[in-house]
């Protein structure tokens, strides 16, 4: 593996604070690098796994057991994960728009959990309010989270989550959302994909079957024995102070495998890319032309028309649905996806094995998506994301406040558009529950190249203002807006609002 400058620095034992280098006013990454001690494989030696599709127990009904499992993520070593069904990532839900999915979650772990469907148009009772804990079945659990229990709907052993899926086809994901402990619990494995399909999408001649591939990207660090390294703070939630900018790690996992390799035919593929990292941003690019990314969808489903990108900047929790055409390559060619924000560090490799026929195409019109015009006299709200005092220690705040599950920061009327503006100090990937939004402007100009379509998470860069148009419908209750850098989220960068 080629050593990047950062890896080299880390290898010499120097601490590297990616955000505090002083010279660069707008670094590409907020976070602190964690370095593995385990023996790591050569990149592109482990095959790309595809998470299994979850099977229902009866039509539209599912049962998931959250349990520990010991998995071979690095060849020759075992890593203990907290997994949905013991998997890393969890199984993929593949469901139809408009059909309610009922999921029984069973907690056989030793920590409380909370399930959230990210991107879901979900009633509040199933949205994963951070205090609606599911306590472990066995009754034995750590006591670190006890102070967080007031005010939540706490269940023990198992809990039913209901997802109406009343929304367009899109790439959603589910993950843990326990107050103060989301970052370590997602890091250890509590995340997976939830795909919604509909007729509008079915009609398109897109690559499908084994030419439709999910790519769930996340970075992790491993101790010598193969266990995950995570710098949890002692005696309080969140991370050690040195990591409050976010935990970034030196091993890139795709679908749970380190720098994997995947064989492809010389045809078009549909890649559903999710950045499931706690804090790392990626700028994905190819090491050799002419491959590029033709974006067909974003967080909230299909775009109106395809958008071409040489590289893809993807912040934590964002999804990009893209088509990549390998037909210009010859059998035997290798095409590597690299991260341009980390000196072209490897991500995964495609090996073109053979020519094959291809009946797919990318229509110029993908969907009925259209940009919505903001009505006159619209309500505007500002959400300021800044470093600050969170519960007596250094942390992160929204509008000057640490997360408070009791006091709502806003009451928002259903069925009317509002313009929300997100204002930052450093990088903050901002996520809103319940409804998708359209990006109206960035730094006073039009939306950026990665802002197309319906989104639920937007990459807000340092000292930036991003305005979005949002409208909540159908469900009254308590919902969240937060930073999806999970270390920031756990260190209080979250706010509650109520839809009325
Ligand atoms: Cu993906 Cu509130 O989270
Ligand atoms: Cu969410
Ligand atoms: Cu943040």
């Amino acid at each position: 593996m080629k050593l990047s400058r950062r890896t080299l620095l880390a290898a010499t034992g120097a601490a590297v604070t990616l955000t505090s280098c002083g010279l660069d006013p707008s670094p590409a990454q907020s976070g602190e690098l964690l370095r593995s001690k385990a023996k790591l494989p050569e990149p592109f030696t482990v095959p790309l796994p595809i998470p299994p599709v979850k099977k229902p127990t009866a039509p539209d009904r599912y049962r998931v057991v959250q349990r520990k499992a010991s998995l071979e993520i690095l060849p020759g070593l075992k890593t203990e994960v907290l997994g949905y069904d013991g998997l890393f990532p969890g199984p993929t839900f593949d469901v139809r728009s408009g059909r309610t999915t009922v999921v029984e979650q069973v907690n056989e772990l030793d920590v409380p959990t909370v399930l959230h469907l990210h991107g879901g148009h979900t009633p509040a009772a199933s949205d994963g309010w951070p205090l609606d804990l599911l306590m472990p079945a066995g009754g034995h659990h750590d006591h670190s989270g006890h102070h967080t229990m007031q005010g939540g709907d706490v269940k023990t052993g198992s809990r039913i989550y209901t997802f109406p899926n009343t929304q367009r086809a899109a790439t959603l994901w589910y993950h843990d959302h326990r107050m103060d402990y989301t970052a370590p619990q997602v890091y250890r494995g509590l995340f997976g994909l939830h795909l919604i399909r509909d007729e509008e999408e079915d009609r398109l001649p897109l690559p499908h079957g084994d030419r439709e591939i999910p790519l769930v990207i996340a970075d992790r660090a491993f101790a010598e024995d193969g266990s995950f390294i995570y710098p949890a703070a002692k005696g309080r939630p969140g991370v050690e102070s040195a990591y409050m900018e976010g935990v970034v790690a030196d091993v890139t996992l795709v679908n749970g495998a380190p720098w994997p390799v995947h064989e492809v035919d010389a045809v078009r593929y549909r890649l559903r890319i999710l950045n499931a990292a706690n804090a790392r941003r990626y700028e994905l690019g190819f090491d050799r032309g002419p491959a590029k990314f033709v974006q067909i969808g974003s967080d909230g489903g299909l775009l109106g028309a395809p958008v071409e990108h040489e590289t893809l900047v993807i912040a934590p929790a964002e999804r990009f649905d893209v088509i990549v055409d390998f037909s210009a390559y010859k059998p035997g060619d290798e095409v590597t996806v690299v991260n341009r924000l980390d000196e072209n560090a490897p991500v995964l490799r495609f090996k073109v094995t053979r020519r094959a026929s291809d009946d797919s195409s990318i229509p110029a019109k993908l969907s009925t998506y259209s940009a919505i015009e903001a009505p006159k006299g619209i309500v505007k709200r500002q959400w300021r994301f800044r470093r600050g005092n969170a519960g007596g220690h250094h942390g992160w705040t929204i509008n000057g406040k640490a997360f408070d599950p009791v006091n709502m920061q806003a009451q928002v009327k259903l069925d009317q558009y509002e313009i929300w503006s997100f204002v930052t100090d450093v990088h903050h990937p901002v996520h809103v529950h319940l409804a998708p939004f359209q990006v109206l402007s960035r730094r006073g100009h039009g939306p950026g190249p990665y802002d197309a379509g319906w989104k639920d998470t937007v990459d807000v860069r340092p000292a930036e203002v991003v305005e979005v148009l949002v409208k909540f419908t159908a469900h009254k209750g308590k919902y969240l807006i937060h930073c999806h850098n999970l270390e920031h989220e756990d260190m209080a960068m979250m706010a509650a609002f109520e839809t009325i």
Side-chain angles (χ1 to χ4, degrees):
M1 175 190 141
K2 168 188 160 289
L3 287 180
S4 69
R5 178 179 52 87
R6 279 221 319 273
T7 319
L8 273 172
L9 277 172
T12 62
V16 187
T17 303
L18 305 177
T19 47
S20 62
C21 49
L23 297 173
D24 185 349
S26 182
Q29 178 69 55
S30 171
E32 179 75 18
L33 183 68
L34 258 187
R35 189 166 55 92
S36 295
K37 300 203 171 62
K39 183 174 173 326
L40 302 176
E42 282 296 311
F44 323 124
T45 53
V46 178
L48 176 76
I50 305 293
V53 171
K54 181 69 184 170
K55 298 229 172 26
T57 51
D60 306 310
R61 304 210 148 238
Y62 299 84
R63 183 171 189 270
V64 173
V65 179
Q66 305 170 5
R67 57 182 179 83
K68 289 189 181 174
S70 176
L71 304 181
E72 187 171 342
I73 294 176
L74 301 176
L77 289 171
K78 288 284 164 133
T79 306
E80 185 184 272
V81 308
L82 313 185
Y84 296 106
D85 289 342
L87 300 172
F88 183 104
T92 298
F93 286 78
D94 195 329
V95 306
R96 298 295 302 180
S97 171
R99 282 179 66 157
T100 300
T101 304
V102 179
V103 185
E104 181 189 13
Q105 289 279 343
V106 178
N107 183 349
E108 292 186 355
L109 299 168
D110 51 14
V111 290
T113 61
V114 171
L115 178 75
H116 170 59
L117 176 59
H118 181 124
H121 188 233
T122 307
S126 286
D127 194 52
W129 181 252
L131 295 174
D132 289 352
L133 302 177
L134 172 56
M135 305 304 284
H140 51 79
H141 55 267
D142 76 11
H143 290 251
S144 58
H146 267 194
H147 64 287
T148 68
M149 287 177 55
Q150 111 276 22
D153 170 26
V154 177
K155 296 231 178 347
T156 298
S158 88
R159 167 176 223 124
I160 305 284
Y161 291 87
T162 303
F163 303 120
N165 300 308
T166 45
Q167 55 193 103
R168 333 167 57 215
T171 305
L172 276 49
W173 64 303
Y174 60 98
H175 60 75
D176 193 68
H177 217 303
R178 176 186 168 200
M179 181 161 143
D180 299 338
Y181 296 90
T182 294
Q185 297 193 174
V186 171
Y187 193 89
R188 290 178 205 288
L190 292 175
F191 62 100
L193 287 169
H194 180 109
L195 312 178
I196 300 180
R197 299 180 193 270
D198 68 6
E199 272 153 36
E200 183 178 44
E201 191 189 82
D202 286 348
R203 279 199 292 267
L204 300 180
L206 300 173
H208 58 273
D210 60 7
R211 294 179 183 175
E212 178 195 326
I213 300 174
L215 297 177
V216 179
I217 304 175
D219 55 338
R220 297 292 186 266
F222 296 85
E224 214 164 349
D225 64 358
S227 58
F228 287 129
I229 304 175
Y230 188 83
K234 310 266 173 308
R236 62 167 170 83
V239 276
E240 288 169 16
S241 313
Y243 291 88
M244 70 171 281
E245 304 279 349
V247 170
V248 294
D250 63 350
V251 178
T252 300
L253 303 176
V254 185
N255 299 347
W259 310 291
V261 60
H262 190 66
E263 292 188 346
V264 292
D265 295 342
V267 297
R268 277 183 215 92
Y269 279 76
R270 176 181 185 182
L271 307 178
R272 298 184 187 247
I273 305 174
L274 159 66
N275 180 351
N278 280 28
R280 190 184 278 283
R281 299 168 75 242
Y282 294 86
E283 180 175 1
L284 303 176
F286 293 100
D287 69 329
R288 54 185 289 193
K292 49 184 181 282
F293 301 98
V294 180
Q295 186 188 355
I296 57 165
S298 59
D299 306 337
L302 291 171
L303 307 182
V307 179
E308 259 184 41
H309 304 280
E310 284 295 321
T311 64
L312 269 190
V313 176
I314 178 166
E318 283 189 301
R319 286 88 69 209
F320 284 85
D321 198 343
V322 301
I323 306 292
V324 174
D325 188 353
F326 294 103
S327 66
Y329 298 97
K330 302 186 302 302
D333 282 353
E334 297 178 335
V335 191
T336 304
V337 179
V338 298
N339 178 13
R340 298 231 193 276
L341 299 184
D342 189 22
E343 309 195 357
N344 293 323
V347 176
L348 81 157
R349 174 170 287 172
F350 293 101
K351 259 191 192 164
V352 180
T353 54
R354 58 180 192 122
R355 298 191 200 283
S357 63
D358 190 352
D359 57 1
S360 76
S361 62
I362 310 173
K365 181 176 171 83
L366 294 165
S367 77
T368 55
Y369 172 90
S370 64
I372 292 169
E373 187 123 13
K376 293 249 168 342
I378 188 171
V379 175
K380 295 189 178 186
R381 291 179 208 276
Q382 197 181 64
W383 303 92
R384 292 181 307 280
F385 292 78
R386 297 220 186 292
R387 184 190 285 265
N389 191 295
H393 55 83
H394 281 309
W396 300 94
T397 62
I398 299 179
N399 289 345
K401 297 189 179 100
F403 178 58
D404 176 352
V406 176
N407 293 306
M408 300 293 118
Q409 282 213 22
Q411 309 245 295
V412 185
K413 284 214 182 96
L414 290 180
D415 301 316
Q416 70 179 33
Y417 283 104
E418 298 197 355
I419 292 178
W420 285 14
S421 49
F422 308 137
V423 184
T424 53
D425 51 0
V426 296
H427 280 284
H428 299 291
V430 174
H431 170 50
V432 178
H433 285 215
L434 185 61
F437 50 74
Q438 292 185 356
V439 176
L440 297 174
S441 74
R442 201 179 257 279
R443 272 192 190 139
H445 301 284
Y450 305 109
D451 294 333
W454 286 110
K455 296 193 46 71
D456 56 51
T457 308
V458 61
D459 180 28
V460 192
R461 297 169 302 180
E464 199 163 49
V465 181
V466 170
E467 284 185 309
V468 306
L469 186 64
V470 66
K471 178 172 80 176
F472 301 94
T473 59
H475 305 302
K476 287 186 183 162
K478 294 186 290 183
Y479 290 94
L480 297 169
I481 172 173
H482 62 89
C483 178
H484 222 289
N485 175 317
L486 297 183
E487 281 72 35
H488 296 191
E489 176 183 336
D490 279 352
M491 294 173 90
M493 193 169 247
M494 183 153 71
F497 63 88
E498 187 173 17
T499 51
I500 55 172

